[in-house]
Amino acid sequence: MFHYIVYCLGIFCMVLECIILLYLLQNMIYLGKIIRYFSLLLMYPILYPMQKLIRKSILNTFSIDLSPYVLLIIIFFLENVCDYLLTI
């Protein structure tokens, strides 16, 4: 049972990585209104708390939003933890 939960958490992290990468790609290259709306709709519940944390931290920059990058690093770490737990 534990392996199924960890496996599902790993898949969830992969999906979140794809959504964050789509959001970052959409910010660099204009992909259309529908993709922009879709990525913002999916990213807002994840991104808003991270933006609040970064505004109060040392990483606060006024010109660049670092919250998607920090979120991506955290999700990569969680995915590696899930992979490690599955190998045990």
Side-chain angles (χ1 to χ4, degrees):
M1 183 70 179
F2 175 73
H3 288 287
Y4 292 124
I5 294 171
V6 173
Y7 183 71
C8 290
L9 184 62
I11 291 174
F12 180 70
C13 288
M14 284 183 214
V15 170
L16 280 179
E17 286 173 11
C18 293
I19 293 170
I20 293 171
L21 290 174
L22 176 69
Y23 176 78
L24 291 173
L25 181 67
Q26 175 267 327
N27 283 338
M28 289 184 237
I29 302 169
Y30 181 72
L31 299 175
K33 289 182 182 179
I34 294 174
I35 294 177
R36 179 173 175 76
Y37 178 74
F38 180 71
S39 67
L40 287 175
L41 184 68
L42 290 175
M43 282 298 295
Y44 185 74
I46 305 165
L47 202 58
Y48 182 69
M50 187 61 65
Q51 287 173 342
K52 283 177 57 176
L53 286 174
I54 287 183
R55 262 188 243 132
K56 297 178 183 179
S57 74
I58 217 169
L59 296 173
N60 188 13
T61 59
F62 296 107
S63 60
I64 300 172
D65 185 20
L66 294 176
S67 55
Y69 301 104
V70 173
L71 192 60
L72 196 61
I73 291 170
I74 291 171
I75 290 176
F76 277 138
F77 177 74
L78 284 176
E79 187 178 356
N80 286 338
V81 168
C82 289
D83 290 340
Y84 175 73
L85 290 175
L86 285 175
T87 59
I88 293 179

